[in-house]
Amino acid sequence: MDTPTLDDLRVSASRACALLRVLAHEDRLVLLCRLAEREHTVGELEQALGIVQPTLSQQLGVLRREGLVDTRRDGKYIHYRIASDDALAVMQTLHARFCADTTNHGDTR
Amino acid sequence: MDTPTLDDLRVSASRACALLRVLAHEDRLVLLCRLAEREHTVGELEQALGIVQPTLSQQLGVLRREGLVDTRRDGKYIHYRIASDDALAVMQTLHARFCADTTNHGDTR
DNA sequence: AAAACAATATATCTGACGATATATTGTTGG
DNA sequence: CCAACAATATATCGTCAGATATATTGTTTT
């Protein structure tokens, strides 16, 4: 468990970076927050988050292509849910750090 | 501990997103990996990572301005170290997910 | 303490990528 | 076949990364 080779590090960093690039977008992050609770239809997300539908669809498309979410069609509606454990793990870390309990204002920075 | 208001969510997402944008860059990620072990001088980082000095200095500048690293001058050399617990927490999550022990190839995706 | 040298930082420019908005097309249910 | 919902295509625009040149800061030697 010592320092990895530069190549190994680069390979891991490249993969991690690909995930981070998808997460580093406020709309997508908020979408994933909601989806982390439970699955949602596009219409629900649109209403809950106030994102206009085409924008929403594009960002959902990014999440789909990158494998962070999966879809399920139920008649007219399409339900989205989180599909990536990696993404979920990062989301949980972020939640603990940035959405922590507002009663506890310990500034651990 | 139920669903936050949209405003709260947006505020948290905005802050988290700011961190993610800084992390979502392969060179910066690799830099932070090395700095997570111990502090390093610019010259050490340059040699260890094969990044040309001006590029390195620019990325270190980003990390500094965003408060992810801190510096200490020792004569001719400037030592960099990680300064943000938030960044460190995300780095640890990423390490566990993407740099896991190569002997254990469990694909938990 | 001044000159020469080494380490680090900054400025400027160019090219490429990513985001947004608008328009259009596809699909489902009645 | 019409209305509502969702996805996609396209054009425009801004932002960011990388390269080169240059500036700044500190150290060492005399």
Side-chain angles (χ1 to χ4, degrees):
Chain A
M1 184 62 175
D2 54 353
T3 306
T5 70
L6 183 52
D7 273 358
D8 286 346
L9 187 58
R10 281 285 176 187
V11 169
S12 301
S14 172
R15 291 199 306 132
C17 199
L19 173 61
L20 290 173
R21 270 195 297 271
V22 181
L23 296 181
H25 183 289
E26 194 177 316
D27 285 344
R28 290 196 290 264
L29 207 53
V30 166
L31 282 170
L32 289 170
C33 275
R34 288 288 147 119
L35 295 177
E37 297 165 8
R38 59 172 175 82
E39 65 171 24
H40 286 272
T41 65
V42 177
E44 286 172 346
L45 293 170
E46 183 181 7
Q47 210 208 331
L49 304 178
I51 303 174
V52 297
Q53 187 272 327
T55 299
L56 191 57
S57 188
Q58 278 187 161
Q59 302 311 335
L60 287 173
V62 172
L63 295 175
R64 241 185 301 123
R65 271 189 298 283
E66 299 296 322
L68 275 68
V69 302
D70 239 339
T71 59
R72 169 177 77 80
R73 178 144 223 158
D74 178 22
K76 199 151 57 162
Y77 302 96
I78 296 181
H79 298 256
Y80 278 80
R81 68 173 176 286
I82 291 195
S84 158
D85 283 351
D86 290 338
L88 200 56
V90 175
M91 292 299 293
Q92 280 164 357
T93 301
L94 293 176
H95 186 270
R97 291 263 148 193
F98 294 98
C99 305
D101 206 353
T102 31
T103 56
N104 168 16
H105 265 183
D107 192 301
T108 337
R109 177 154 40 123
Chain B
M1 183 66 175
D2 54 353
T3 305
T5 70
L6 183 51
D7 273 357
D8 286 346
L9 186 57
R10 281 285 176 188
V11 169
S12 301
S14 172
R15 290 198 307 132
C17 199
L19 172 62
L20 291 172
R21 269 194 298 270
V22 180
L23 296 181
H25 182 288
E26 195 178 315
D27 284 344
R28 289 195 290 263
L29 207 54
V30 166
L31 281 171
L32 289 170
C33 276
R34 288 289 147 114
L35 294 178
E37 298 166 7
R38 59 172 175 83
E39 65 171 23
H40 286 271
T41 66
V42 177
E44 286 172 346
L45 293 170
E46 183 181 6
Q47 212 209 328
L49 304 179
I51 303 173
V52 297
Q53 185 271 327
T55 299
L56 189 57
S57 190
Q58 275 185 170
Q59 302 312 334
L60 287 173
V62 173
L63 295 175
R64 243 185 300 123
R65 271 189 297 283
E66 299 296 323
L68 274 70
V69 301
D70 239 339
T71 58
R72 168 177 78 80
R73 178 144 222 157
D74 177 22
K76 200 149 61 160
Y77 302 96
I78 296 181
H79 298 258
Y80 278 79
R81 67 173 177 286
I82 293 196
S84 157
D85 283 351
D86 290 339
L88 200 56
V90 175
M91 292 298 294
Q92 280 165 358
T93 301
L94 293 175
H95 186 271
R97 290 265 150 194
F98 294 98
C99 305
D101 204 356
T102 31
T103 56
N104 168 14
H105 265 183
D107 193 302
T108 337
R109 176 153 43 115

